Every structure is written in structure tokens, then in C-alpha cells.
Amino acid sequence: MRQKDETKAQHILRATLDEVQVVGLAGLSIEAVARRAGVATGTIYTYFRNKDALLDALYLHTKQKFAAFVFSDEGLPLRAAFTQMAKAYVSYMIENKDEMVFMTQMANSPYVTDETRATVALGVRPATALLERGKAEQLLKPLDTAWMLAFLSGAMGALAPLAAGLPADQQAEFQDAAALLCWDALKA
Amino acid sequence: MRQKDETKAQHILRATLDEVQVVGLAGLSIEAVARRAGVATGTIYTYFRNKDALLDALYLHTKQKFAAFVFSDEGLPLRAAFTQMAKAYVSYMIENKDEMVFMTQMANSPYVTDETRATVALGVRPATALLERGKAEQLLKPLDTAWMLAFLSGAMGALAPLAAGLPADQQAEFQDAAALLCWDALKA
Amino acid sequence: MRQKDETKAQHILRATLDEVQVVGLAGLSIEAVARRAGVATGTIYTYFRNKDALLDALYLHTKQKFAAFVFSDEGLPLRAAFTQMAKAYVSYMIENKDEMVFMTQMANSPYVTDETRATVALGVRPATALLERGKAEQLLKPLDTAWMLAFLSGAMGALAPLAAGLPADQQAEFQDAAALLCWDALKA
Amino acid sequence: MRQKDETKAQHILRATLDEVQVVGLAGLSIEAVARRAGVATGTIYTYFRNKDALLDALYLHTKQKFAAFVFSDEGLPLRAAFTQMAKAYVSYMIENKDEMVFMTQMANSPYVTDETRATVALGVRPATALLERGKAEQLLKPLDTAWMLAFLSGAMGALAPLAAGLPADQQAEFQDAAALLCWDALKA
DNA sequence: GATGAATGAGAGTTCATTCAT
DNA sequence: CATGAATGAACTCTCATTCAT
């Protein structure tokens, strides 16, 4: 018999991501995903309980990949760590536009389970820690951490579409600008 | 002969806004809107060409109402004008949570036509003008205006959910903080 | 080389019978049968051509087991033979509720082939013979034999659900009553 | 607008009954019912919540029509009332073979709700009353009423297929025989 | 203009059966 | 022979839109 193939699950997730770029989350159909993944419709259900579960899984996967790239704490001094995160954020946006589009569309959808939201929230902890360190060192404004995070991620997220089509020679400039704005906004 | 009744169109738009709060944009059905508006399903098609047109119209209407409140240029000095806009943004968010929810859900949907996006963009002109004045006066960083706008509206939009349930006595504080962060981010 | 294993076929038949008790004939899926039997879905197709053939085989098997128990002619005098059959019918119903449920659900289903129906009919021959002997001896009403059989099996079958949950001390009484009614109905 | 048309509901019920004759309960599809009824699939759902509700409604309707014809108490003396019921049962079977087929197939299906079963049970009350009167008058055997009812309806139901194709000149004979057997079975 | 029953394309999902391993 | 992943036709049901009244 054919063994359940995790590669195939990855193919399906990838096909879902690609299909959302083309037709949007609202226009997504399982049949189109299957066609794009090169499998039968029924096969999707071997790997994912239903459409919701597929999208939830893709969201979790995408968010975790994103968080792993952007939110790493490498023990740098505060300002440097902050800047590095901001730059990582921007460069991830530029190089993974499709994932950003997907995450944005999912954020306000009913597909994401509470459990996934909770798990995703954990990935942000390095950023939370960084902000709190900054407040303790009185380098940052003494505001609510959740508040600051929302401000930052909203601002950065809104820049994603602008970052998308950027020529390579302006990317460094873009990163620097974004990092600077974020820092100036929060610094004490 | 009964004339098309603009009051009825308003009822339908309002019902649509309310229904989206409850079931989300993805769960919105014309029949539910009709029921909530107290009209027959067919009647909706007298006032709006189809579902897309209804949502597009509501989006345009909501955005324009929002822009009219927030983006007014009253000839104040730069910093004062900037602060006033930020505060107006926050207070609008707090008092019109349902519209914010709707605008957020629509922003990345296929329902909004390019024409509407263009029209909506016009409403932002006072803010554009303000930012360009600030750059000319060298009070703001010399960045691309569209870039700055995206940054600001992303940041403010992300604060909306946090602003929503805020007790009255913390709203002034919230407004001041938001205005300060935005200013510090952009100031030269 | 492993041979086809008749034990495994029995397991599958048994699992089918059990599964029907739980989900009904309409809710029966091959996968559930396989799971219950502890084999792979594909294995079922080694022993039975398809779902219809599996159910047909189980029906035939169940009917024949039932007939072997109930319809035996042991050369008793007519009334005694008749009573014995009726009692055997009832006691079989009580002790093999699951098979009765299955036979009832199958009786009006499209799964049973004409061939099986014909074969099953043969099992009833001792009862046919008994009734014809009764008619010849003028102890029974001179009605069509098939007619009498239908009457009897319908009546007895309808009592099955009532017999099912009966406490042990009422079973003898139940058997006597059933036998008496059947006899009174048919006797000349 | 078109008013909801109870005639159409009747058409759909009739189409369902007819379709079951051809493909069986297990093979019944909503689309086939719609085609036979001459309406669109969606229209079925204007009149019935879903497939289960359609079948449940048809079952209830069929059972009640049947009960109204067969179980009427017209104050006849016991034996005459009994005989009349038995004959009515048989003649109904002969003239409404399709309904009998449907009722038989539904009886052991998961489609029938408990509520419908309870309502259907009420239709049998005249028969219950008759049997109890017979026991009080000591004309019938002193058995449990539910038990007697099961016996009778099982016996009669089993005769249905035999009654179906009967030439007109044998129907009276068939009715008499059935009534006699039932009476002899239960009489004290 | 208003109504809401009617339409039917298209959605998600199941499941008997096949077949590569 | 045994496995269970893969298949895809077929199912029920929804809902944007139309149209007879």
C-alpha cells in the first residue's frame, strides 16, 4: 500500500496557499486546491478533516514559520535586537508575499480556531520579552505591552503591500526606514 | 407609482453592517440582510445591482463617513493638526466599532472595486497634504507619503480592537498615547 | 503464500452483523466493518466481491442458521410439531436479537439477490410440508400454503421486538402464547 | 410573487412515494425526487427542511391516511367491528400497494422521528380500544394489547405483497380469509 | 415598487472500490 | 494475501439571483 506521505500534506498546504493568492480566501474551493495539488478531492480529506481544518493548519504553519524567522532573541542589546526584528519582519514580508497575503486574509476569518490563536500568540513571546526589557531599562515608553505589539504589527503589516514589489536596491533602505520609525515611535 | 425610497436603501446598508458584526463577512447572506432590514430579498436588488455592489456601496459609504470625521484640515499648526487627526481617529474607532470591524473585514476582500478604492483614496487627501506640509517644513522624516500613510493607518487600525471595550476614563489617555506614538514615529 | 482464510471471512460477517446493530443498515460503511473486524478495507474485497455481495452472503447465512434451528421436521404429530416450531421461533428470536434485527432490515432492501431469496425459500420447506400435512389431515384451514407462511412469519417477526428485552421468567409464557395464537389462527 | 403552494408540497410527497417504488428507500436521491416532481432541487427545501424531514412528513402522512381508513370505530358489535377492520386493512393494502411498500421500508429506518412514531401510535387507538373491549367481554384472549397489535399488524403486513397482484375476483375471498385468521387467533 | 417562491450552479463531504506497495 | 491511501462519482444542501404575482 501507499504510505501516508507527509510530502503530500505539504503539497496540499502549498497548493492552498497558491490558490488563495489567485482567488482569495472567499473564493477558495477544495476542488481547486485538489486540482492544483494534483490529487483527487477525496485525498484532501485523508490529510485534513475538512476545509476549516486545512485552513487552520495552514495558518498555524505559516504563522509559526513567520514567527520563527522574525522573533528570535539572540541576546543583543536592546536597540540592536529591536532593529534586527524590524528588519527581519520587513525582509520576510518582501520574500514571502504570498504568506503575508494569506495571513492577512485569515486574521479576520472564522476559520482560525481559538486553540490556534493561542498557539500563535506564544510565538510572539520573544517580542513581548524584548518590549518589557525595554520598558524596564526605561528605553521605551511605559505603555501596555499588548498595546505596543498591536501598534507595531499593524504598522508593519500595512507596509507589506508596499514592500511587495520593491526593487532589490531599495530594500535595505526600506528596512532601515521601517526599523527607525518603529523605534522612534516606542522609544521613551 | 412608488419611488425608490432612499430611506429603504439606508435601512439595507445598516442591516448589512449589523449582520456582518454577527456572522462575519464570510457568513453574510442576502436573505439574512433582508430579514434584518425588514424587506423581501428581491427588494435588495432594486437598490443594489447585486451582493458585491451592496458591499461595495457600504464600504464606500463607511469609509467616506470615517474620512469626513477624521481627515479634516482646519488650518491648525502642523503638530496640532497631526494630534487632532490622531485623536479623532481613536475616538471614531471607539464610538463606531461596528464600522471599524466592517472596514477591516472588507479591506482584503474581493468585493471592493478599484473605482471605490480610488474614491476612498481621495478622502485621505487632507492627511496627505498634512504629511507633505510637514516634510516641507522639515518637521517630519523625508519619506514617501504613501508609505507614511500606510504605516499610520496600519498602526491605528490595529489598535481598534483594543480601543473597543475601553472604559470612558481611559479613553483620553489612549488618545494621547496613540497621537504621541504616531508623532514620534514620523517626526524628523 | 497465505491462503484465503475462512476464519477471516467469518470475522467480517460477524463484524457486519454487529455494526448493523449500532448504525443500522443505511448507516453501514465498509470502512467501519473493516475496523470492527480488525482488517484493512481492501481485505474485505478479497473475501466478498463488493458490499452487496457481503450483505447478501450474511443474509443467506443468517437465514439458513435461523431456518436450521426453527424448521426441523422431527416426525412429531401435527400439533406437537407445529407448537415446537412456534416455540423454537420465539426462543431463537429472544436469543439472537441481533440476527433478527439484521434480517428485518434486509428483508426489504435491494441488497438481497433473487438467487438468495430462492435459496432461502428452500429452508422453509419443512414448514411448508408441515402445513400441507395439516391441510391434508384437515386439521388446518384449506388455504394457500404460501399465504399461511406469510401470515405466520409476519406475525412472529412482529413479535421479535417485544420478545427482545423479556425477563427470563416470562419467556415460557411468551412462547406458549405465540404458539397458541398461531395454531388457533390456522386450525380448521 | 408566487404564493407557497400546498399543492406543490403534495406533488413533492407524491413524487417521493413514486420514486421509492422504483429505486427503493436506500437509492432515493433528492435530485431524482425533484426531477419527478417537476421542480428544481432547491424547491424541495422550501417545503421541507431536509431529506429526513421530507421522508418523515411523508411517513406521517401515509400512516395517518392509512389509519383513518382502517381504524375507525363505528360502534359495531365486537366481531363485526373486528372483521370490518381486517377487511379494510386488506382492501387498503390492495389498493395502495405503493404506500404499503413505503411504510414497510420506512418502519425500520432512521428517518422516522420519535415524535412521528408517537403521533402515528395515536392513530391506532381505535384498534387498541376494540381489543380491550374484546378482552373485557371475554371474547378475546387475555393477552397484552400491544402484543396482540404487533401480532395482527405483522401478520397483515406480511400479506401485503401477496395481496398486491391479486385479481379482482379473489379479493373478497382474501379479505374473508384474513379476517377469519385474525379473529381465530385472538378469540378466547 | 415589493414580495418571496423558484431556480440551479456549485459547494463541501462521503464512501465503495481500486491498486501500488 | 494484506494494507490503507487514493480515487472520483454522487450525494445533500446553500444561496445569489430571477421573476410571476
Side-chain angles (χ1 to χ4, degrees), chain D:
Chain D
M1 56 143 199
R2 291 157 259 182
Q3 279 306 322
K4 212 160 161 178
D5 180 359
E6 276 314 308
T7 292
K8 191 162 288 183
Q10 294 303 318
H11 274 134
I12 293 169
L13 289 171
R14 182 78 230 171
T16 306
L17 187 61
D18 292 346
E19 186 68 16
V20 169
Q21 309 304 309
V22 178
V23 299
L25 188 55
L28 188 75
S29 84
I30 288 286
E31 197 179 321
V33 170
R35 200 160 42 234
R36 187 179 285 271
V39 299
T41 41
T43 303
I44 307 265
Y45 292 86
T46 302
Y47 293 90
F48 302 95
R49 196 165 65 282
N50 54 29
K51 189 185 184 182
D52 287 23
L54 166 61
L55 287 170
D56 187 56
L58 178 55
Y59 184 69
L60 181 58
H61 177 260
T62 307
K63 274 285 189 185
Q64 287 188 322
K65 176 162 168 275
F66 169 77
F69 186 88
V70 175
F71 302 125
S72 60
D73 186 356
E74 303 178 14
L76 296 173
L78 190 82
R79 173 80 193 258
F82 191 96
T83 301
Q84 191 205 290
M85 273 193 198
K87 289 187 172 183
Y89 203 124
V90 173
S91 81
Y92 196 91
M93 287 191 322
I94 290 173
E95 290 176 21
N96 301 278
K97 190 194 170 191
D98 49 2
E99 297 181 15
M100 298 306 293
V101 168
F102 177 73
M103 288 191 286
T104 304
Q105 301 217 15
M106 284 294 284
N108 289 300
S109 86
Y111 293 118
V112 185
T113 61
D114 289 343
E115 192 191 343
T116 292
R117 284 192 202 280
T119 307
V120 163
L122 298 183
V124 188
R125 276 185 306 187
T128 307
L130 185 69
L131 293 176
E132 282 175 351
R133 200 172 104 211
K135 288 193 286 182
E137 297 178 18
Q138 299 189 320
L139 294 170
L140 298 182
K141 296 189 176 79
L143 297 165
D144 180 63
T145 307
W147 208 92
M148 296 165 98
L149 271 173
F151 183 93
L152 289 176
S153 70
M156 299 298 276
L159 295 178
L162 302 180
L166 215 61
D169 61 344
Q170 292 175 31
Q171 293 182 5
E173 191 185 340
F174 190 107
Q175 285 183 21
D176 290 336
L180 181 62
L181 261 68
C182 289
W183 175 259
D184 282 351
L186 296 190
K187 79 153 187 274

Side-chain angles (χ1 to χ4, degrees), chain B residues 58-77:
Chain B
L58 178 56
Y59 183 69
L60 181 59
H61 176 261
T62 307
K63 274 286 191 185
Q64 288 187 321
K65 176 163 167 275
F66 170 77
F69 185 89
V70 175
F71 303 126
S72 60
D73 186 357
E74 302 178 16
L76 295 172

Side-chain angles (χ1 to χ4, degrees), chain A residues 69-70 72 74 76 79-89 179:
Chain A
F69 186 87
V70 175
S72 61
E74 304 178 16
L76 296 173
R79 173 80 193 259
F82 191 95
T83 301
Q84 191 207 292
M85 273 194 198
K87 289 187 173 183
Y89 203 123

Side-chain angles (χ1 to χ4, degrees), chain C residues 89 93-94 97 100-101 104 154-165 174, chain D residues 150:
Chain C
Y89 203 123
M93 287 192 319
I94 290 173
K97 190 193 170 192
M100 298 306 293
V101 168
T104 303
M156 299 298 276
L159 294 179
L162 302 180
F174 191 106

Side-chain angles (χ1 to χ4, degrees), chain B residues 11-155:
Chain B
H11 273 129
I12 293 169
L13 288 170
R14 181 77 231 173
T16 306
L17 186 61
D18 292 346
E19 187 67 17
V20 169
Q21 309 303 310
V22 178
V23 300
L25 189 56
L28 188 76
S29 82
I30 288 287
E31 195 184 321
V33 169
R35 201 161 41 234
R36 189 179 283 273
V39 300
T41 44
T43 303
I44 294 196
Y45 289 83
T46 302
Y47 293 91
F48 302 95
R49 193 162 68 294
N50 54 30
K51 188 185 184 182
D52 288 23
L54 165 61
L55 287 169
D56 187 57
L58 178 56
Y59 183 69
L60 181 59
H61 176 261
T62 307
K63 274 286 191 185
Q64 288 187 321
K65 176 163 167 275
F66 170 77
F69 185 89
V70 175
F71 303 126
S72 60
D73 186 357
E74 302 178 16
L76 295 172
L78 190 83
R79 172 81 193 258
F82 190 96
T83 302
Q84 191 206 292
M85 274 195 197
K87 288 187 172 184
Y89 203 123
V90 174
S91 81
Y92 195 91
M93 287 192 321
I94 291 173
E95 288 174 23
N96 301 278
K97 190 193 170 191
D98 49 2
E99 297 182 13
M100 297 306 293
V101 168
F102 177 72
M103 289 191 287
T104 303
Q105 300 217 14
M106 285 294 285
N108 289 99
S109 85
Y111 293 117
V112 185
T113 61
D114 289 344
E115 190 192 344
T116 291
R117 284 192 203 280
T119 307
V120 162
L122 299 183
V124 189
R125 274 185 305 187
T128 307
L130 186 69
L131 291 175
E132 283 175 351
R133 199 172 103 212
K135 287 193 284 183
E137 298 178 17
Q138 298 189 320
L139 293 171
L140 298 182
K141 295 187 174 83
L143 298 164
D144 180 64
T145 306
W147 208 93
M148 294 166 100
L149 272 174
F151 182 92
L152 289 176
S153 70

